[in-house]
Amino acid sequence: MSTPASDASFAPRPEDPLAALASLPGVPGVVESVRQAVDRVYSHRVMRRRSNEVTSEAALRAARGSAALSGADWALEEVRRRSDFSSEPEARTVGAALRLTAEAGQLLSIWVQSPLRVLARLHLVAAGGAGVPDDTVGRPRLAGEPVTEMPGADIGGPLLEAPLPGADEVAARLDGLSALVVAASSAPALVTAAVVHGELLALRPFGSYNGVVARTAERVVLIGSGLDPKSVCPAEVGHAELGRAAYASAFEGYLSGTPGGMAAWIAHCGRAVELGARESTAVCEALQRGAA
């Protein structure tokens, strides 16, 4: 993976660039804070007996949050109630997010061997049957092909207005990202997840649904690393709670490629995981009271 900005690099380039990011000022403290937040959820007494229910509820809330960041900001109860997700662009986006949260846990063993295969599968799951041309589904975009987050809807904002890398650069950086994942960095899971998430947002490698795919890839890393093996600390919930403006601002830090910008992006992703953990702690409390 190349650094997000051509004028920013970490020299000399270390053997393990993700480990170098983990040592940036403030990042070790963020990593420890996230670990403590995750541990609090897993130590809750409800998790010993009803963890499957917490996981299911976390997946639903994660999908709602991810779809909201892509422009389909539905109430949780509407997502829970709805059965038809094919009627219009927002519904298709919510449906894509739901399918992706269900798929993430099935791809863990493939991710560590072939991240590009997983990304292709994620886009296929998100875009298949959702009004996206069949010949663009599951493959990186070609030169000149348009990019939209929500097919059929005209949405904008900083995430979509960031400079769009060309197809050749996308291919090269995807190969670099894949190599980093397969190399099994010594960096904490949060750092790897944040970089995977940020790089996919920066590249927008597919013609559609890049945001929901990027956030699902972050989820895959957090689950597969063992940080959140039961998937009960949905970062998507936290990203949505922090808001699209804060998400876009932190993403600008990633795009800058500077140490400060990268640390800010990792911290933002860490805060999102903490908020996801807090959400599931509340679900545990509700289950304990018999309110959910």
Side-chain angles (χ1 to χ4, degrees):
M1 182 193 72
S2 63
T3 51
S6 60
D7 59 347
S9 61
F10 302 103
R13 186 171 176 82
E15 292 275 336
D16 186 348
L18 295 181
L21 294 177
S23 67
L24 290 174
V27 171
V30 170
V31 169
E32 179 58 26
S33 181
V34 167
R35 167 56 67 186
Q36 292 176 7
V38 172
D39 286 348
R40 282 193 291 273
V41 179
Y42 278 83
S43 65
H44 198 286
R45 61 186 300 177
V46 166
M47 287 291 293
R48 294 197 294 270
R49 308 185 312 276
R50 304 176 70 178
S51 64
N52 287 343
E53 294 173 68
V54 181
T55 295
S56 295
E57 186 64 21
L60 184 72
R61 297 179 184 217
R64 192 221 73 83
S66 191
L69 289 165
S70 288
D73 193 359
W74 287 15
L76 180 63
E77 290 311 311
E78 175 66 10
V79 178
R80 198 190 303 278
R81 178 193 67 80
R82 183 74 75 98
S83 58
D84 177 15
F85 295 97
S86 62
S87 55
E88 83 301 313
E90 286 196 7
R92 291 194 293 269
T93 298
V94 174
L98 286 166
R99 292 191 299 274
L100 286 172
T101 57
E103 187 78 5
Q106 311 303 313
L107 300 171
L108 304 179
S109 62
I110 303 173
W111 173 257
V112 296
Q113 300 171 13
S114 181
L116 299 186
R117 283 179 56 199
V118 171
L119 294 176
R121 174 62 184 172
L122 292 177
H123 189 249
L124 175 64
V125 169
V132 176
D134 289 345
D135 63 347
T136 69
V137 173
R139 65 153 175 81
R141 55 186 168 83
L142 304 178
E145 289 185 338
V147 176
T148 181
E149 180 60 21
M150 188 191 302
D154 184 17
I155 61 171
L159 292 174
L160 294 178
E161 293 166 4
L164 187 66
D168 289 344
E169 182 180 351
V170 167
R173 287 172 62 173
L174 282 177
D175 284 344
L177 181 63
S178 178
L180 282 180
V181 172
V182 172
S185 171
S186 64
L190 174 66
V191 173
T192 302
V195 169
V196 167
H197 182 174
E199 187 71 353
L200 292 174
L201 282 184
L203 294 180
R204 280 156 290 166
F206 303 107
S208 58
Y209 295 118
N210 288 293
V212 289
V213 167
R215 291 182 287 275
T216 304
E218 178 184 48
R219 165 182 283 264
V220 169
V221 175
L222 294 173
I223 299 170
S225 67
L227 176 64
D228 182 21
K230 294 182 182 292
S231 193
V232 294
C233 302
E236 301 95 326
V237 168
H239 287 303
E241 184 173 336
L242 291 166
R244 293 180 73 185
Y247 188 55
S249 178
F251 177 53
E252 288 178 3
Y254 182 86
L255 288 175
S256 76
T258 63
M262 296 297 287
W265 171 249
I266 294 168
H268 184 87
C269 291
R271 182 58 179 154
V273 175
E274 290 183 52
L275 290 172
R278 187 181 71 178
E279 185 91 350
S280 285
T281 299
V283 169
C284 288
E285 294 294 332
L287 288 169
Q288 186 167 282
R289 296 191 306 270

